[in-house]
Amino acid sequence: RAMYYYARELYFHKFYKSAIIWLNKFLKTNGWIQNKIDACHILSDCYLNLNDFQKALTTLLKTLSFSPPSAKTCCYLANIFFIQNDLNSAIYWYTHALTIPTPTQGWIEPNYNTLIPALQLCVCYFHKKDYKNSYHYHKLSQKFNPSAPQVLHNENFFKSFLGSTQTR
């Protein structure tokens, strides 16, 4: 576990290449499954920071050898596709994240099951110029956390955007 924590520190201090080395070493050990999944998430992010999208994707897919995909893994996968402007694939994975129940044990990060995919779906659909679905996911994000800064920003944006499109 010391290897895992050391690699995380390297990542948090933006020593991505060193973190990659230590995370890959850790993944070859008999560590806890949850730590291995988290190591894959961090490793994927290291590769993203180095603009290696293929290795980022391959690393996330490795989590499937440990367990079914978590909502966090789905959001990470979606993010890779979003960055590459593959909006249909991003929408698929963000939508799937919304279908995964929030875990009741282990590391619980409920925003990956709710707010994050709803916000990102709002953005994806907006980029596709599908304003109806974009607004739908904005309203869903409001249900999850109406006081989140991103939700409040989107609310003001949609008031302005819808007002300007209705006057045309």
PDB file of all heavy atoms in Angstrom, residues 115-124 126 133-142 145-163:
ATOM      1  N   LEU A 115     -24.815  14.114  -9.857  1.00  0.00           N
ATOM      2  CA  LEU A 115     -24.550  15.480 -10.315  1.00  0.00           C
ATOM      3  C   LEU A 115     -23.571  15.549 -11.490  1.00  0.00           C
ATOM      4  O   LEU A 115     -23.841  16.232 -12.486  1.00  0.00           O
ATOM      5  CB  LEU A 115     -24.043  16.341  -9.159  1.00  0.00           C
ATOM      6  CG  LEU A 115     -23.827  17.820  -9.486  1.00  0.00           C
ATOM      7  CD1 LEU A 115     -25.138  18.478  -9.884  1.00  0.00           C
ATOM      8  CD2 LEU A 115     -23.206  18.534  -8.293  1.00  0.00           C
ATOM      9  N   ILE A 116     -22.457  14.863 -11.383  1.00  0.00           N
ATOM     10  CA  ILE A 116     -21.435  14.965 -12.435  1.00  0.00           C
ATOM     11  C   ILE A 116     -21.976  14.517 -13.790  1.00  0.00           C
ATOM     12  O   ILE A 116     -21.870  15.268 -14.775  1.00  0.00           O
ATOM     13  CB  ILE A 116     -20.148  14.213 -12.034  1.00  0.00           C
ATOM     14  CG1 ILE A 116     -19.476  14.937 -10.859  1.00  0.00           C
ATOM     15  CG2 ILE A 116     -19.189  14.084 -13.221  1.00  0.00           C
ATOM     16  CD1 ILE A 116     -18.346  14.171 -10.204  1.00  0.00           C
ATOM     17  N   PRO A 117     -22.563  13.316 -13.892  1.00  0.00           N
ATOM     18  CA  PRO A 117     -23.061  12.939 -15.224  1.00  0.00           C
ATOM     19  C   PRO A 117     -24.200  13.838 -15.713  1.00  0.00           C
ATOM     20  O   PRO A 117     -24.286  14.134 -16.913  1.00  0.00           O
ATOM     21  CB  PRO A 117     -23.510  11.488 -15.068  1.00  0.00           C
ATOM     22  CG  PRO A 117     -23.606  11.234 -13.616  1.00  0.00           C
ATOM     23  CD  PRO A 117     -22.710  12.211 -12.937  1.00  0.00           C
ATOM     24  N   ALA A 118     -25.057  14.309 -14.817  1.00  0.00           N
ATOM     25  CA  ALA A 118     -26.151  15.197 -15.244  1.00  0.00           C
ATOM     26  C   ALA A 118     -25.596  16.503 -15.807  1.00  0.00           C
ATOM     27  O   ALA A 118     -26.039  16.970 -16.868  1.00  0.00           O
ATOM     28  CB  ALA A 118     -27.102  15.469 -14.084  1.00  0.00           C
ATOM     29  N   LEU A 119     -24.618  17.085 -15.111  1.00  0.00           N
ATOM     30  CA  LEU A 119     -24.003  18.323 -15.607  1.00  0.00           C
ATOM     31  C   LEU A 119     -23.319  18.096 -16.951  1.00  0.00           C
ATOM     32  O   LEU A 119     -23.460  18.903 -17.882  1.00  0.00           O
ATOM     33  CB  LEU A 119     -22.975  18.846 -14.598  1.00  0.00           C
ATOM     34  CG  LEU A 119     -23.515  19.509 -13.348  1.00  0.00           C
ATOM     35  CD1 LEU A 119     -22.416  19.701 -12.317  1.00  0.00           C
ATOM     36  CD2 LEU A 119     -24.176  20.845 -13.675  1.00  0.00           C
ATOM     37  N   GLN A 120     -22.599  16.999 -17.054  1.00  0.00           N
ATOM     38  CA  GLN A 120     -21.859  16.732 -18.283  1.00  0.00           C
ATOM     39  C   GLN A 120     -22.793  16.398 -19.453  1.00  0.00           C
ATOM     40  O   GLN A 120     -22.510  16.759 -20.594  1.00  0.00           O
ATOM     41  CB  GLN A 120     -20.831  15.635 -18.062  1.00  0.00           C
ATOM     42  CG  GLN A 120     -19.668  16.064 -17.172  1.00  0.00           C
ATOM     43  CD  GLN A 120     -18.982  17.309 -17.694  1.00  0.00           C
ATOM     44  OE1 GLN A 120     -19.075  18.379 -17.108  1.00  0.00           O
ATOM     45  NE2 GLN A 120     -18.292  17.185 -18.805  1.00  0.00           N
ATOM     46  N   LEU A 121     -23.890  15.724 -19.170  1.00  0.00           N
ATOM     47  CA  LEU A 121     -24.868  15.463 -20.227  1.00  0.00           C
ATOM     48  C   LEU A 121     -25.484  16.768 -20.715  1.00  0.00           C
ATOM     49  O   LEU A 121     -25.735  16.935 -21.916  1.00  0.00           O
ATOM     50  CB  LEU A 121     -25.936  14.487 -19.746  1.00  0.00           C
ATOM     51  CG  LEU A 121     -25.466  13.032 -19.693  1.00  0.00           C
ATOM     52  CD1 LEU A 121     -26.414  12.194 -18.844  1.00  0.00           C
ATOM     53  CD2 LEU A 121     -25.330  12.452 -21.102  1.00  0.00           C
ATOM     54  N   CYS A 122     -25.703  17.694 -19.803  1.00  0.00           N
ATOM     55  CA  CYS A 122     -26.197  19.018 -20.187  1.00  0.00           C
ATOM     56  C   CYS A 122     -25.230  19.656 -21.180  1.00  0.00           C
ATOM     57  O   CYS A 122     -25.647  20.182 -22.223  1.00  0.00           O
ATOM     58  CB  CYS A 122     -26.349  19.874 -18.928  1.00  0.00           C
ATOM     59  SG  CYS A 122     -26.779  21.590 -19.232  1.00  0.00           S
ATOM     60  N   VAL A 123     -23.941  19.572 -20.891  1.00  0.00           N
ATOM     61  CA  VAL A 123     -22.924  20.162 -21.764  1.00  0.00           C
ATOM     62  C   VAL A 123     -22.841  19.412 -23.098  1.00  0.00           C
ATOM     63  O   VAL A 123     -22.793  20.034 -24.166  1.00  0.00           O
ATOM     64  CB  VAL A 123     -21.549  20.168 -21.053  1.00  0.00           C
ATOM     65  CG1 VAL A 123     -20.438  20.607 -22.007  1.00  0.00           C
ATOM     66  CG2 VAL A 123     -21.583  21.056 -19.825  1.00  0.00           C
ATOM     67  N   CYS A 124     -22.824  18.084 -23.029  1.00  0.00           N
ATOM     68  CA  CYS A 124     -22.728  17.288 -24.267  1.00  0.00           C
ATOM     69  C   CYS A 124     -23.873  17.606 -25.220  1.00  0.00           C
ATOM     70  O   CYS A 124     -23.649  17.847 -26.416  1.00  0.00           O
ATOM     71  CB  CYS A 124     -22.742  15.792 -23.940  1.00  0.00           C
ATOM     72  SG  CYS A 124     -21.226  15.166 -23.207  1.00  0.00           S
ATOM     73  N   PHE A 126     -25.736  20.219 -25.269  1.00  0.00           N
ATOM     74  CA  PHE A 126     -25.655  21.594 -25.741  1.00  0.00           C
ATOM     75  C   PHE A 126     -24.690  21.684 -26.920  1.00  0.00           C
ATOM     76  O   PHE A 126     -24.979  22.344 -27.924  1.00  0.00           O
ATOM     77  CB  PHE A 126     -25.226  22.546 -24.622  1.00  0.00           C
ATOM     78  CG  PHE A 126     -25.423  23.984 -24.985  1.00  0.00           C
ATOM     79  CD1 PHE A 126     -26.650  24.589 -24.810  1.00  0.00           C
ATOM     80  CD2 PHE A 126     -24.388  24.717 -25.546  1.00  0.00           C
ATOM     81  CE1 PHE A 126     -26.855  25.916 -25.176  1.00  0.00           C
ATOM     82  CE2 PHE A 126     -24.569  26.038 -25.924  1.00  0.00           C
ATOM     83  CZ  PHE A 126     -25.813  26.637 -25.729  1.00  0.00           C
ATOM     84  N   ASN A 133     -32.706  18.363 -24.710  1.00  0.00           N
ATOM     85  CA  ASN A 133     -32.063  17.405 -23.805  1.00  0.00           C
ATOM     86  C   ASN A 133     -31.062  18.098 -22.885  1.00  0.00           C
ATOM     87  O   ASN A 133     -30.914  17.707 -21.722  1.00  0.00           O
ATOM     88  CB  ASN A 133     -31.385  16.276 -24.589  1.00  0.00           C
ATOM     89  CG  ASN A 133     -32.337  15.146 -24.855  1.00  0.00           C
ATOM     90  OD1 ASN A 133     -33.128  14.756 -24.007  1.00  0.00           O
ATOM     91  ND2 ASN A 133     -32.274  14.613 -26.072  1.00  0.00           N
ATOM     92  N   SER A 134     -30.379  19.096 -23.394  1.00  0.00           N
ATOM     93  CA  SER A 134     -29.441  19.844 -22.560  1.00  0.00           C
ATOM     94  C   SER A 134     -30.170  20.448 -21.359  1.00  0.00           C
ATOM     95  O   SER A 134     -29.733  20.310 -20.213  1.00  0.00           O
ATOM     96  CB  SER A 134     -28.774  20.942 -23.385  1.00  0.00           C
ATOM     97  OG  SER A 134     -27.870  21.672 -22.595  1.00  0.00           O
ATOM     98  N   TYR A 135     -31.292  21.079 -21.622  1.00  0.00           N
ATOM     99  CA  TYR A 135     -32.080  21.686 -20.551  1.00  0.00           C
ATOM    100  C   TYR A 135     -32.640  20.612 -19.607  1.00  0.00           C
ATOM    101  O   TYR A 135     -32.674  20.803 -18.395  1.00  0.00           O
ATOM    102  CB  TYR A 135     -33.207  22.536 -21.147  1.00  0.00           C
ATOM    103  CG  TYR A 135     -33.953  23.352 -20.121  1.00  0.00           C
ATOM    104  CD1 TYR A 135     -33.331  24.424 -19.486  1.00  0.00           C
ATOM    105  CD2 TYR A 135     -35.267  23.053 -19.784  1.00  0.00           C
ATOM    106  CE1 TYR A 135     -34.008  25.178 -18.545  1.00  0.00           C
ATOM    107  CE2 TYR A 135     -35.950  23.806 -18.837  1.00  0.00           C
ATOM    108  CZ  TYR A 135     -35.316  24.865 -18.225  1.00  0.00           C
ATOM    109  OH  TYR A 135     -35.976  25.597 -17.274  1.00  0.00           O
ATOM    110  N   HIS A 136     -33.055  19.494 -20.168  1.00  0.00           N
ATOM    111  CA  HIS A 136     -33.554  18.384 -19.350  1.00  0.00           C
ATOM    112  C   HIS A 136     -32.502  17.953 -18.323  1.00  0.00           C
ATOM    113  O   HIS A 136     -32.805  17.777 -17.138  1.00  0.00           O
ATOM    114  CB  HIS A 136     -33.939  17.201 -20.237  1.00  0.00           C
ATOM    115  CG  HIS A 136     -34.115  15.923 -19.484  1.00  0.00           C
ATOM    116  ND1 HIS A 136     -35.236  15.642 -18.722  1.00  0.00           N
ATOM    117  CD2 HIS A 136     -33.291  14.850 -19.345  1.00  0.00           C
ATOM    118  CE1 HIS A 136     -35.093  14.459 -18.152  1.00  0.00           C
ATOM    119  NE2 HIS A 136     -33.924  13.955 -18.511  1.00  0.00           N
ATOM    120  N   TYR A 137     -31.253  17.808 -18.764  1.00  0.00           N
ATOM    121  CA  TYR A 137     -30.207  17.366 -17.836  1.00  0.00           C
ATOM    122  C   TYR A 137     -29.791  18.480 -16.880  1.00  0.00           C
ATOM    123  O   TYR A 137     -29.364  18.207 -15.756  1.00  0.00           O
ATOM    124  CB  TYR A 137     -29.018  16.766 -18.592  1.00  0.00           C
ATOM    125  CG  TYR A 137     -29.365  15.372 -19.048  1.00  0.00           C
ATOM    126  CD1 TYR A 137     -29.663  15.101 -20.378  1.00  0.00           C
ATOM    127  CD2 TYR A 137     -29.450  14.320 -18.133  1.00  0.00           C
ATOM    128  CE1 TYR A 137     -30.023  13.832 -20.792  1.00  0.00           C
ATOM    129  CE2 TYR A 137     -29.815  13.046 -18.535  1.00  0.00           C
ATOM    130  CZ  TYR A 137     -30.091  12.805 -19.855  1.00  0.00           C
ATOM    131  OH  TYR A 137     -30.455  11.536 -20.248  1.00  0.00           O
ATOM    132  N   HIS A 138     -29.965  19.717 -17.304  1.00  0.00           N
ATOM    133  CA  HIS A 138     -29.758  20.822 -16.359  1.00  0.00           C
ATOM    134  C   HIS A 138     -30.779  20.717 -15.229  1.00  0.00           C
ATOM    135  O   HIS A 138     -30.425  20.814 -14.049  1.00  0.00           O
ATOM    136  CB  HIS A 138     -29.872  22.175 -17.054  1.00  0.00           C
ATOM    137  CG  HIS A 138     -30.104  23.288 -16.087  1.00  0.00           C
ATOM    138  ND1 HIS A 138     -29.194  23.619 -15.103  1.00  0.00           N
ATOM    139  CD2 HIS A 138     -31.166  24.123 -15.918  1.00  0.00           C
ATOM    140  CE1 HIS A 138     -29.687  24.603 -14.373  1.00  0.00           C
ATOM    141  NE2 HIS A 138     -30.876  24.927 -14.853  1.00  0.00           N
ATOM    142  N   LYS A 139     -32.045  20.509 -15.583  1.00  0.00           N
ATOM    143  CA  LYS A 139     -33.093  20.394 -14.562  1.00  0.00           C
ATOM    144  C   LYS A 139     -32.831  19.188 -13.648  1.00  0.00           C
ATOM    145  O   LYS A 139     -33.081  19.248 -12.448  1.00  0.00           O
ATOM    146  CB  LYS A 139     -34.485  20.301 -15.195  1.00  0.00           C
ATOM    147  CG  LYS A 139     -34.913  21.562 -15.931  1.00  0.00           C
ATOM    148  CD  LYS A 139     -34.698  22.810 -15.111  1.00  0.00           C
ATOM    149  CE  LYS A 139     -35.946  23.348 -14.501  1.00  0.00           C
ATOM    150  NZ  LYS A 139     -35.717  24.585 -13.730  1.00  0.00           N
ATOM    151  N   LEU A 140     -32.329  18.097 -14.222  1.00  0.00           N
ATOM    152  CA  LEU A 140     -31.989  16.929 -13.406  1.00  0.00           C
ATOM    153  C   LEU A 140     -30.858  17.269 -12.439  1.00  0.00           C
ATOM    154  O   LEU A 140     -30.913  16.892 -11.264  1.00  0.00           O
ATOM    155  CB  LEU A 140     -31.590  15.749 -14.308  1.00  0.00           C
ATOM    156  CG  LEU A 140     -31.266  14.444 -13.600  1.00  0.00           C
ATOM    157  CD1 LEU A 140     -32.474  13.915 -12.808  1.00  0.00           C
ATOM    158  CD2 LEU A 140     -30.804  13.402 -14.613  1.00  0.00           C
ATOM    159  N   SER A 141     -29.859  17.998 -12.908  1.00  0.00           N
ATOM    160  CA  SER A 141     -28.760  18.379 -12.016  1.00  0.00           C
ATOM    161  C   SER A 141     -29.273  19.264 -10.879  1.00  0.00           C
ATOM    162  O   SER A 141     -28.784  19.174  -9.753  1.00  0.00           O
ATOM    163  CB  SER A 141     -27.636  19.077 -12.787  1.00  0.00           C
ATOM    164  OG  SER A 141     -28.014  20.357 -13.230  1.00  0.00           O
ATOM    165  N   GLN A 142     -30.278  20.081 -11.157  1.00  0.00           N
ATOM    166  CA  GLN A 142     -30.888  20.903 -10.108  1.00  0.00           C
ATOM    167  C   GLN A 142     -31.515  20.040  -9.021  1.00  0.00           C
ATOM    168  O   GLN A 142     -31.457  20.392  -7.841  1.00  0.00           O
ATOM    169  CB  GLN A 142     -31.979  21.802 -10.690  1.00  0.00           C
ATOM    170  CG  GLN A 142     -31.501  23.140 -11.134  1.00  0.00           C
ATOM    171  CD  GLN A 142     -32.667  24.025 -11.550  1.00  0.00           C
ATOM    172  OE1 GLN A 142     -33.669  23.555 -12.092  1.00  0.00           O
ATOM    173  NE2 GLN A 142     -32.522  25.309 -11.312  1.00  0.00           N
ATOM    174  N   ASN A 145     -28.527  18.704  -6.818  1.00  0.00           N
ATOM    175  CA  ASN A 145     -27.856  19.686  -5.955  1.00  0.00           C
ATOM    176  C   ASN A 145     -28.150  21.092  -6.468  1.00  0.00           C
ATOM    177  O   ASN A 145     -27.372  21.654  -7.237  1.00  0.00           O
ATOM    178  CB  ASN A 145     -26.353  19.428  -5.910  1.00  0.00           C
ATOM    179  CG  ASN A 145     -25.653  20.300  -4.878  1.00  0.00           C
ATOM    180  OD1 ASN A 145     -26.203  21.276  -4.391  1.00  0.00           O
ATOM    181  ND2 ASN A 145     -24.420  19.942  -4.556  1.00  0.00           N
ATOM    182  N   PRO A 146     -29.288  21.656  -6.042  1.00  0.00           N
ATOM    183  CA  PRO A 146     -29.696  22.956  -6.578  1.00  0.00           C
ATOM    184  C   PRO A 146     -28.755  24.108  -6.229  1.00  0.00           C
ATOM    185  O   PRO A 146     -28.756  25.127  -6.914  1.00  0.00           O
ATOM    186  CB  PRO A 146     -31.084  23.180  -5.959  1.00  0.00           C
ATOM    187  CG  PRO A 146     -31.138  22.273  -4.782  1.00  0.00           C
ATOM    188  CD  PRO A 146     -30.229  21.122  -5.070  1.00  0.00           C
ATOM    189  N   SER A 147     -27.927  23.956  -5.205  1.00  0.00           N
ATOM    190  CA  SER A 147     -27.046  25.054  -4.806  1.00  0.00           C
ATOM    191  C   SER A 147     -25.611  24.890  -5.303  1.00  0.00           C
ATOM    192  O   SER A 147     -24.757  25.723  -4.999  1.00  0.00           O
ATOM    193  CB  SER A 147     -27.054  25.205  -3.277  1.00  0.00           C
ATOM    194  OG  SER A 147     -26.563  24.021  -2.676  1.00  0.00           O
ATOM    195  N   ALA A 148     -25.337  23.854  -6.094  1.00  0.00           N
ATOM    196  CA  ALA A 148     -23.982  23.682  -6.643  1.00  0.00           C
ATOM    197  C   ALA A 148     -23.663  24.862  -7.555  1.00  0.00           C
ATOM    198  O   ALA A 148     -24.517  25.294  -8.339  1.00  0.00           O
ATOM    199  CB  ALA A 148     -23.884  22.371  -7.421  1.00  0.00           C
ATOM    200  N   PRO A 149     -22.459  25.404  -7.473  1.00  0.00           N
ATOM    201  CA  PRO A 149     -22.112  26.570  -8.299  1.00  0.00           C
ATOM    202  C   PRO A 149     -22.335  26.345  -9.800  1.00  0.00           C
ATOM    203  O   PRO A 149     -22.809  27.249 -10.485  1.00  0.00           O
ATOM    204  CB  PRO A 149     -20.620  26.788  -7.997  1.00  0.00           C
ATOM    205  CG  PRO A 149     -20.402  26.151  -6.670  1.00  0.00           C
ATOM    206  CD  PRO A 149     -21.370  25.016  -6.577  1.00  0.00           C
ATOM    207  N   GLN A 150     -22.041  25.140 -10.288  1.00  0.00           N
ATOM    208  CA  GLN A 150     -22.226  24.857 -11.714  1.00  0.00           C
ATOM    209  C   GLN A 150     -23.715  24.877 -12.087  1.00  0.00           C
ATOM    210  O   GLN A 150     -24.084  25.327 -13.160  1.00  0.00           O
ATOM    211  CB  GLN A 150     -21.642  23.482 -12.090  1.00  0.00           C
ATOM    212  CG  GLN A 150     -20.209  23.270 -11.698  1.00  0.00           C
ATOM    213  CD  GLN A 150     -20.065  22.625 -10.324  1.00  0.00           C
ATOM    214  OE1 GLN A 150     -20.814  22.898  -9.393  1.00  0.00           O
ATOM    215  NE2 GLN A 150     -19.066  21.774 -10.193  1.00  0.00           N
ATOM    216  N   VAL A 151     -24.535  24.377 -11.193  1.00  0.00           N
ATOM    217  CA  VAL A 151     -25.979  24.347 -11.438  1.00  0.00           C
ATOM    218  C   VAL A 151     -26.525  25.772 -11.451  1.00  0.00           C
ATOM    219  O   VAL A 151     -27.323  26.132 -12.326  1.00  0.00           O
ATOM    220  CB  VAL A 151     -26.700  23.474 -10.382  1.00  0.00           C
ATOM    221  CG1 VAL A 151     -28.209  23.567 -10.539  1.00  0.00           C
ATOM    222  CG2 VAL A 151     -26.227  22.026 -10.478  1.00  0.00           C
ATOM    223  N   LEU A 152     -26.090  26.591 -10.513  1.00  0.00           N
ATOM    224  CA  LEU A 152     -26.529  27.989 -10.463  1.00  0.00           C
ATOM    225  C   LEU A 152     -26.056  28.742 -11.713  1.00  0.00           C
ATOM    226  O   LEU A 152     -26.817  29.529 -12.294  1.00  0.00           O
ATOM    227  CB  LEU A 152     -26.005  28.664  -9.202  1.00  0.00           C
ATOM    228  CG  LEU A 152     -26.560  28.110  -7.887  1.00  0.00           C
ATOM    229  CD1 LEU A 152     -25.838  28.722  -6.694  1.00  0.00           C
ATOM    230  CD2 LEU A 152     -28.061  28.329  -7.792  1.00  0.00           C
ATOM    231  N   HIS A 153     -24.826  28.471 -12.136  1.00  0.00           N
ATOM    232  CA  HIS A 153     -24.314  29.091 -13.364  1.00  0.00           C
ATOM    233  C   HIS A 153     -25.176  28.689 -14.559  1.00  0.00           C
ATOM    234  O   HIS A 153     -25.564  29.545 -15.370  1.00  0.00           O
ATOM    235  CB  HIS A 153     -22.856  28.680 -13.592  1.00  0.00           C
ATOM    236  CG  HIS A 153     -22.338  29.095 -14.925  1.00  0.00           C
ATOM    237  ND1 HIS A 153     -21.881  30.368 -15.184  1.00  0.00           N
ATOM    238  CD2 HIS A 153     -22.225  28.414 -16.093  1.00  0.00           C
ATOM    239  CE1 HIS A 153     -21.509  30.457 -16.457  1.00  0.00           C
ATOM    240  NE2 HIS A 153     -21.708  29.280 -17.026  1.00  0.00           N
ATOM    241  N   ASN A 154     -25.464  27.393 -14.667  1.00  0.00           N
ATOM    242  CA  ASN A 154     -26.278  26.918 -15.793  1.00  0.00           C
ATOM    243  C   ASN A 154     -27.689  27.485 -15.750  1.00  0.00           C
ATOM    244  O   ASN A 154     -28.275  27.770 -16.799  1.00  0.00           O
ATOM    245  CB  ASN A 154     -26.319  25.389 -15.822  1.00  0.00           C
ATOM    246  CG  ASN A 154     -25.019  24.778 -16.293  1.00  0.00           C
ATOM    247  OD1 ASN A 154     -24.125  25.471 -16.764  1.00  0.00           O
ATOM    248  ND2 ASN A 154     -24.900  23.468 -16.157  1.00  0.00           N
ATOM    249  N   GLU A 155     -28.228  27.654 -14.558  1.00  0.00           N
ATOM    250  CA  GLU A 155     -29.575  28.222 -14.446  1.00  0.00           C
ATOM    251  C   GLU A 155     -29.594  29.639 -15.032  1.00  0.00           C
ATOM    252  O   GLU A 155     -30.475  29.987 -15.820  1.00  0.00           O
ATOM    253  CB  GLU A 155     -30.033  28.235 -12.986  1.00  0.00           C
ATOM    254  CG  GLU A 155     -31.416  28.827 -12.774  1.00  0.00           C
ATOM    255  CD  GLU A 155     -32.546  28.028 -13.433  1.00  0.00           C
ATOM    256  OE1 GLU A 155     -32.351  26.844 -13.799  1.00  0.00           O
ATOM    257  OE2 GLU A 155     -33.635  28.603 -13.587  1.00  0.00           O
ATOM    258  N   ASN A 156     -28.598  30.441 -14.659  1.00  0.00           N
ATOM    259  CA  ASN A 156     -28.508  31.803 -15.205  1.00  0.00           C
ATOM    260  C   ASN A 156     -28.263  31.773 -16.715  1.00  0.00           C
ATOM    261  O   ASN A 156     -28.842  32.566 -17.455  1.00  0.00           O
ATOM    262  CB  ASN A 156     -27.403  32.593 -14.505  1.00  0.00           C
ATOM    263  CG  ASN A 156     -27.789  32.960 -13.093  1.00  0.00           C
ATOM    264  OD1 ASN A 156     -28.957  33.145 -12.785  1.00  0.00           O
ATOM    265  ND2 ASN A 156     -26.795  33.048 -12.223  1.00  0.00           N
ATOM    266  N   PHE A 157     -27.425  30.854 -17.145  1.00  0.00           N
ATOM    267  CA  PHE A 157     -27.148  30.732 -18.571  1.00  0.00           C
ATOM    268  C   PHE A 157     -28.418  30.397 -19.337  1.00  0.00           C
ATOM    269  O   PHE A 157     -28.724  31.023 -20.352  1.00  0.00           O
ATOM    270  CB  PHE A 157     -26.073  29.660 -18.834  1.00  0.00           C
ATOM    271  CG  PHE A 157     -25.928  29.364 -20.292  1.00  0.00           C
ATOM    272  CD1 PHE A 157     -25.199  30.209 -21.110  1.00  0.00           C
ATOM    273  CD2 PHE A 157     -26.565  28.273 -20.862  1.00  0.00           C
ATOM    274  CE1 PHE A 157     -25.080  29.966 -22.470  1.00  0.00           C
ATOM    275  CE2 PHE A 157     -26.456  28.016 -22.219  1.00  0.00           C
ATOM    276  CZ  PHE A 157     -25.712  28.868 -23.027  1.00  0.00           C
ATOM    277  N   PHE A 158     -29.158  29.391 -18.857  1.00  0.00           N
ATOM    278  CA  PHE A 158     -30.361  28.978 -19.587  1.00  0.00           C
ATOM    279  C   PHE A 158     -31.435  30.062 -19.571  1.00  0.00           C
ATOM    280  O   PHE A 158     -32.158  30.214 -20.554  1.00  0.00           O
ATOM    281  CB  PHE A 158     -30.905  27.647 -19.051  1.00  0.00           C
ATOM    282  CG  PHE A 158     -30.263  26.457 -19.692  1.00  0.00           C
ATOM    283  CD1 PHE A 158     -29.406  25.651 -18.975  1.00  0.00           C
ATOM    284  CD2 PHE A 158     -30.497  26.142 -21.021  1.00  0.00           C
ATOM    285  CE1 PHE A 158     -28.791  24.550 -19.564  1.00  0.00           C
ATOM    286  CE2 PHE A 158     -29.896  25.050 -21.633  1.00  0.00           C
ATOM    287  CZ  PHE A 158     -29.036  24.254 -20.898  1.00  0.00           C
ATOM    288  N   LYS A 159     -31.526  30.809 -18.486  1.00  0.00           N
ATOM    289  CA  LYS A 159     -32.484  31.921 -18.473  1.00  0.00           C
ATOM    290  C   LYS A 159     -32.145  32.908 -19.578  1.00  0.00           C
ATOM    291  O   LYS A 159     -33.018  33.354 -20.318  1.00  0.00           O
ATOM    292  CB  LYS A 159     -32.472  32.624 -17.113  1.00  0.00           C
ATOM    293  CG  LYS A 159     -33.233  31.905 -16.049  1.00  0.00           C
ATOM    294  CD  LYS A 159     -33.202  32.674 -14.736  1.00  0.00           C
ATOM    295  CE  LYS A 159     -33.908  31.874 -13.654  1.00  0.00           C
ATOM    296  NZ  LYS A 159     -33.791  32.548 -12.345  1.00  0.00           N
ATOM    297  N   SER A 160     -30.881  33.225 -19.704  1.00  0.00           N
ATOM    298  CA  SER A 160     -30.441  34.160 -20.738  1.00  0.00           C
ATOM    299  C   SER A 160     -30.574  33.535 -22.130  1.00  0.00           C
ATOM    300  O   SER A 160     -31.092  34.167 -23.052  1.00  0.00           O
ATOM    301  CB  SER A 160     -28.990  34.559 -20.479  1.00  0.00           C
ATOM    302  OG  SER A 160     -28.486  35.312 -21.545  1.00  0.00           O
ATOM    303  N   PHE A 161     -30.118  32.291 -22.285  1.00  0.00           N
ATOM    304  CA  PHE A 161     -30.127  31.620 -23.568  1.00  0.00           C
ATOM    305  C   PHE A 161     -31.548  31.392 -24.062  1.00  0.00           C
ATOM    306  O   PHE A 161     -31.872  31.700 -25.206  1.00  0.00           O
ATOM    307  CB  PHE A 161     -29.380  30.288 -23.488  1.00  0.00           C
ATOM    308  CG  PHE A 161     -29.366  29.526 -24.772  1.00  0.00           C
ATOM    309  CD1 PHE A 161     -28.541  29.898 -25.812  1.00  0.00           C
ATOM    310  CD2 PHE A 161     -30.213  28.433 -24.963  1.00  0.00           C
ATOM    311  CE1 PHE A 161     -28.534  29.196 -27.010  1.00  0.00           C
ATOM    312  CE2 PHE A 161     -30.227  27.732 -26.151  1.00  0.00           C
ATOM    313  CZ  PHE A 161     -29.371  28.110 -27.183  1.00  0.00           C
ATOM    314  N   LEU A 162     -32.392  30.877 -23.212  1.00  0.00           N
ATOM    315  CA  LEU A 162     -33.779  30.619 -23.616  1.00  0.00           C
ATOM    316  C   LEU A 162     -34.527  31.919 -23.894  1.00  0.00           C
ATOM    317  O   LEU A 162     -35.339  31.978 -24.805  1.00  0.00           O
ATOM    318  CB  LEU A 162     -34.504  29.779 -22.575  1.00  0.00           C
ATOM    319  CG  LEU A 162     -33.987  28.343 -22.419  1.00  0.00           C
ATOM    320  CD1 LEU A 162     -34.686  27.635 -21.266  1.00  0.00           C
ATOM    321  CD2 LEU A 162     -34.149  27.561 -23.710  1.00  0.00           C
ATOM    322  N   GLY A 163     -34.202  32.931 -23.120  1.00  0.00           N
ATOM    323  CA  GLY A 163     -34.826  34.221 -23.367  1.00  0.00           C
ATOM    324  C   GLY A 163     -34.419  34.790 -24.715  1.00  0.00           C
ATOM    325  O   GLY A 163     -35.250  35.320 -25.448  1.00  0.00           O
TER     326      GLY A 163
END
